[in-house]
Amino acid sequence: MFQTVLKRCWVVLLGLALFIPVVVVPVASATIPQPALAQTLTWTADNDITRYKSAPTSATAGQTTIVFENSEATGNTTGMSHTLTFDTDTPGYNHDVNVNILANPFDTENGRHEQTVTLTPGKYRYFCTMPGHQQMVGEFTVGPAGPDTTPPTVNGVVSGNKDGNGNYLGKATVTVTASDTGSGVDKIEYQVDDTSFLPYTAPVDVTAVGDHSVQFRATDKAGNVSPVGSVSFRVVEAPPQDTTPPTVSATVAGNKDPQGNYVDKATVTITASDTQSGVKTVEYSLDGGAFTAYTAPVEVTAVGSHMIHYRATDNAGNTSPEGMTGFTIVQAPPQDTTPPTVNATVAGDKDSNGAYIGKATVTITATDTQSGVKTVEYSLDGGAFTVYTAPVEVTAAGSHMIHYRATDNAGNISPEGMSGFTVVSAPPQDTTPPSVNTTVTGDRDANGNYVNSASVTVTATDAQSGVKTVEYSLDNGAYTAYTAPVVVSAKGSHTLRARATDNAGNTSTPVSTSFTVVEPPVQDTTPPVVSTSVAGNRDANGNYIDSATVSVTATDSQSGVKTVEYSVDGGAFAAYTAPVVVGTNGQHTVQARATDNAGNASAPVSVSFTVVEPSGDVCPDSDTRATVIIGGEDTKVANIDTGNGCTVNDLIAERASYPDHGTFVRHVEDVTSPLVANGVLSRRDQGTIVRAASRSDIGR
């Protein structure tokens, strides 16, 4: 049997030695029934290049042994090579068998080769592919292998110019085809719109406007009739007549030498377009020859200068002006034995470990200074080699290895290169702008103004892609990159706006802060003024029952109060942050002092009082009005007993003496806070009482 091999042989043609590799690929058997006995078909050749010495003219469908002998025994005494090649392109012939046998009297088989194939009913065309052997051509017919009981297969296709709704403009052409693997098709019939069946001999044009249905059937030579097939369509009025010819152009492609000549061959591709009736035919003429229908790119191999003319005709019969293009073909340079040079680069965004984030793009480049690069291939992660046509994007997370190689036009293959890299998953897309904050620092006066200068610090954070830039604008000026705290020393009111942009391009809404810079005040040499007040439930002797609350206030009209401190019963001074509750029975003295921002410290002021244990009704002469009333304002809050015989009005003690109004308001806050904590008053009731106290004139 003939095996799939790469044969090497020498052909003597015009005094030149040509080395031609031929690959013969066996074809799988068709699925039609096979005859009981296989047949053998034999072709022979000798020194003649105008015909095969012997060849079959008929055969039976089924498994067949193809024998091609071109040997000394068949009369070849010159060492001439021939091929037996089955045609797989020309219309009208079977194309299901691939035979391409090269035979030479001096090859390893001494010129005799065999190949097993499966033939099907119909005609096969064969020929010799050797240059100058074009007359070695023929055909043979294959008949069915047994009785035919299977009807033909029939199919109908509708063609024509269509509008946007799929309707056919002016006419629709129905083409019917049928095939039969047994006895062969005998006849095809059709009918339009259920009229009557007629013999089908050529495509059927339907021009009547409206909806149509065309039925068709086929009969084989054994009398088997196919099921009726049908196609449906609609014909509408054709648009106005097309008087504009098509547009046609040609491009020439191939390997070029430095002078722009095409090496060994040039391929001419002709394209035509027509926006109205559509292109019907494209034709070309090579070197002054007759115009020929263009169906595929034209390959020109003859050495020398060439001129190709081309034209196109649309379905309305308009023919374009002839176009033309010239080119020159030269022989290939001496044989190239050096493989191409191939390299690969990996690109993409990387993380701190060098891994590619989301994807890596591998670009492969190859060069060949002799015959030129023909193909570039790559294999990713051990997969099959694939033709490289564009950069390869690798998105799967993990480690990867890419191998690559290149082949030049002389068949030389480069050594495999390889490159390894790692892809990690891209983080979620960031659509959230950064968060921006501003803080203003500096020495401030009692009104909150910044003395001499203010320093504005801008901070920005972004939890996703990270902060890229921070900018600020002072007093509506242009935005400037923020690199350090902004010191503002100009006296007056100022507004600073800040914004930030992250690495994903999201920009925050500007945030603003306003402040005032003033001149430093005249030096402060006066210490703060400090006062104290004591609040709590008192008995008839003025003693505080259970506990006393001492409030300390300090004011400074120049540099402002910096610290307030207090001392209980001669103890160490501590920072005053809230009223001081003294709950130990006995006599007590609380001292208070304050220091301003200029460093001036007040002399301590003191207040003395006595705390005693409660006994029975602490407030025997309670204020028992139904609601809490302060300075004549009824708060509507119930004046309830707080638990020791004292009402809320008793604790507020609006008739007591207070050094100022602020001290009274703070006293009200101090005595009502424990009532809120103990559930006697609600937070809302406390707020109502404190607001009434602030509106009163008590202590003014």
Side-chain angles (χ1 to χ4, degrees):
M1 294 297 186
F2 186 74
Q3 304 297 321
T4 303
V5 294
L6 182 65
K7 302 286 186 179
R8 295 186 176 182
C9 61
W10 294 97
V11 179
V12 179
L13 180 63
L14 301 177
L16 297 176
L18 301 177
F19 178 63
I20 304 175
V22 177
V23 176
V24 180
V25 180
V27 177
S29 299
T31 57
I32 63 173
Q34 301 299 319
L37 297 176
Q39 63 185 333
T40 300
L41 301 180
T42 302
W43 282 258
T44 63
D46 53 18
N47 296 331
D48 199 328
I49 64 172
T50 65
R51 52 93 179 109
Y52 287 93
K53 184 175 182 179
S54 64
T57 58
S58 62
T60 302
Q63 190 176 66
T64 303
T65 299
I66 301 295
V67 176
F68 179 41
E69 184 172 356
N70 176 33
S71 66
E72 292 179 326
T74 61
N76 190 325
T77 60
T78 63
M80 176 74 69
S81 292
H82 297 288
T83 74
L84 173 63
T85 304
F86 279 27
D87 190 332
T88 57
D89 296 311
T90 303
Y93 294 98
N94 291 358
H95 299 150
D96 56 350
V97 173
N98 189 354
V99 173
N100 187 18
I101 303 174
L102 172 68
N104 183 278
F106 307 118
D107 62 26
T108 58
E109 305 296 329
N110 295 319
R112 189 180 190 281
H113 301 270
E114 293 184 5
Q115 180 179 341
T116 300
V117 300
T118 299
L119 302 178
T120 57
K123 278 188 178 181
Y124 290 85
R125 179 178 180 271
Y126 56 87
F127 59 95
C128 179
T129 63
M130 303 302 294
H133 296 204
Q134 293 89 340
Q135 296 183 61
M136 295 182 67
V137 64
E139 62 181 35
F140 66 96
T141 303
V142 177
D148 180 7
T149 60
T150 303
T153 299
V154 65
N155 185 49
V157 177
V158 185
S159 61
N161 295 324
K162 291 197 258 186
D163 61 16
N165 298 318
N167 302 316
Y168 290 87
L169 301 172
K171 74 172 181 178
T173 300
V174 181
T175 302
V176 182
T177 58
S179 62
D180 189 89
T181 59
S183 58
V185 177
D186 182 50
K187 63 179 179 179
I188 302 174
E189 298 172 290
Y190 77 97
Q191 65 175 357
V192 179
D193 298 333
D194 298 319
T195 51
S196 61
F197 276 99
L198 300 172
Y200 175 87
T201 58
V204 179
D205 289 339
V206 180
T207 59
V209 173
D211 293 321
H212 299 282
S213 176
V214 174
Q215 294 83 33
F216 39 84
R217 64 190 181 193
T219 304
D220 63 17
K221 294 177 181 179
N224 301 302
V225 181
S226 72
V228 175
S230 66
V231 290
S232 298
F233 51 90
R234 173 177 291 179
V235 177
V236 297
E237 292 286 350
Q241 186 177 4
D242 174 12
T243 60
T244 304
T247 300
V248 63
S249 62
T251 58
V252 185
N255 295 325
K256 292 184 181 181
D257 64 13
Q259 289 73 41
N261 301 315
Y262 291 88
V263 179
D264 280 342
K265 74 173 181 179
T267 301
V268 182
T269 301
I270 303 173
T271 57
S273 61
D274 189 274
T275 59
Q276 297 186 39
S277 60
V279 176
K280 183 177 182 181
T281 60
V282 179
E283 301 172 289
Y284 73 94
S285 165
L286 179 61
D287 296 335
F291 271 93
T292 303
Y294 175 86
T295 58
V298 180
E299 290 190 351
V300 183
T301 58
V303 173
S305 296
H306 300 278
M307 181 66 73
I308 193 165
H309 291 244
Y310 46 89
R311 64 191 181 193
T313 302
D314 62 20
N315 286 294
N318 303 300
T319 301
S320 69
E322 286 183 16
M324 69 179 85
T325 186
F327 52 92
T328 299
I329 296 175
V330 296
Q331 284 186 335
Q335 187 177 7
D336 174 11
T337 59
T338 304
T341 299
V342 63
N343 291 290
T345 58
V346 185
D349 295 330
K350 293 184 185 180
D351 63 15
S352 58
N353 297 318
Y356 291 88
I357 302 171
K359 72 174 181 180
T361 301
V362 182
T363 301
I364 304 174
T365 56
T367 57
D368 190 273
T369 59
Q370 297 186 42
S371 60
V373 176
K374 182 178 182 182
T375 60
V376 179
E377 299 171 291
Y378 71 94
S379 164
L380 179 62
D381 297 334
F385 270 93
T386 303
V387 174
Y388 173 87
T389 57
V392 181
E393 291 189 351
V394 182
T395 58
S399 297
H400 300 278
M401 180 66 73
I402 193 164
H403 290 245
Y404 45 89
R405 65 190 182 194
T407 304
D408 62 19
N409 286 293
N412 302 301
I413 302 175
S414 70
E416 284 184 18
M418 61 181 151
S419 183
F421 53 92
T422 298
V423 176
V424 294
S425 297
Q429 186 177 6
D430 179 8
T431 59
T432 304
S435 296
V436 180
N437 290 292
T438 59
T439 55
V440 185
T441 58
D443 294 331
R444 304 179 75 174
D445 61 15
N447 298 316
N449 300 318
Y450 290 88
V451 179
N452 238 0
S453 67
S455 179
V456 185
T457 301
V458 183
T459 58
T461 59
D462 190 273
Q464 297 186 43
S465 60
V467 176
K468 183 177 182 181
T469 60
V470 180
E471 301 171 290
Y472 74 93
S473 165
L474 181 63
D475 298 332
N476 293 318
Y479 273 95
T480 304
Y482 174 87
T483 57
V486 181
V487 177
V488 182
S489 56
K491 307 307 182 282
S493 297
H494 301 280
T495 297
L496 184 141
R497 293 176 174 82
R499 67 188 183 190
T501 302
D502 61 22
N503 286 294
N506 303 300
T507 300
S508 68
T509 301
V511 298
S512 62
T513 183
S514 297
F515 53 92
T516 300
V517 178
V518 297
E519 294 285 354
V522 178
Q523 187 175 5
D524 178 11
T525 60
T526 304
V529 175
V530 180
S531 63
T532 61
S533 64
V534 184
N537 297 328
R538 304 177 73 177
D539 61 14
N541 298 316
N543 299 319
Y544 289 89
I545 301 168
D546 205 27
S547 67
T549 301
V550 181
S551 298
V552 181
T553 58
T555 60
D556 189 276
S557 60
Q558 296 185 40
S559 61
V561 176
K562 183 176 182 181
T563 61
V564 179
E565 299 172 291
Y566 73 96
S567 167
V568 178
D569 298 333
F573 275 91
Y576 175 85
T577 58
V580 180
V581 178
V582 180
T584 305
N585 294 333
Q587 292 185 340
H588 301 281
T589 298
V590 175
Q591 290 183 305
R593 67 187 183 191
T595 303
D596 62 18
N597 286 294
N600 302 301
S602 69
V605 297
S606 62
V607 62
S608 297
F609 52 89
T610 300
V611 177
V612 298
E613 291 183 352
S615 58
D617 187 353
V618 175
C619 299
D621 298 319
S622 291
D623 183 343
T624 58
R625 287 177 289 180
T627 57
V628 176
I629 298 174
I630 302 176
E633 179 181 344
D634 188 350
T635 66
K636 308 298 184 182
V637 176
N639 182 32
I640 59 177
D641 191 317
T642 62
N644 57 0
C646 296
T647 65
V648 177
N649 275 334
D650 291 336
L651 300 181
I652 291 174
E654 64 176 335
R655 293 184 178 85
S657 177
Y658 299 96
D660 53 51
H661 178 68
T663 301
F664 170 67
V665 174
R666 286 192 293 277
H667 162 74
V668 174
E669 290 177 341
D670 293 340
V671 299
T672 55
S673 292
L675 300 181
V676 173
N678 295 329
V680 176
L681 292 178
S682 68
R683 181 69 66 185
R684 183 173 182 178
D685 289 343
Q686 183 195 28
T688 301
I689 293 170
V690 172
R691 286 193 293 273
S694 67
R695 290 192 291 269
S696 72
D697 291 331
I698 299 171
R700 297 185 189 275

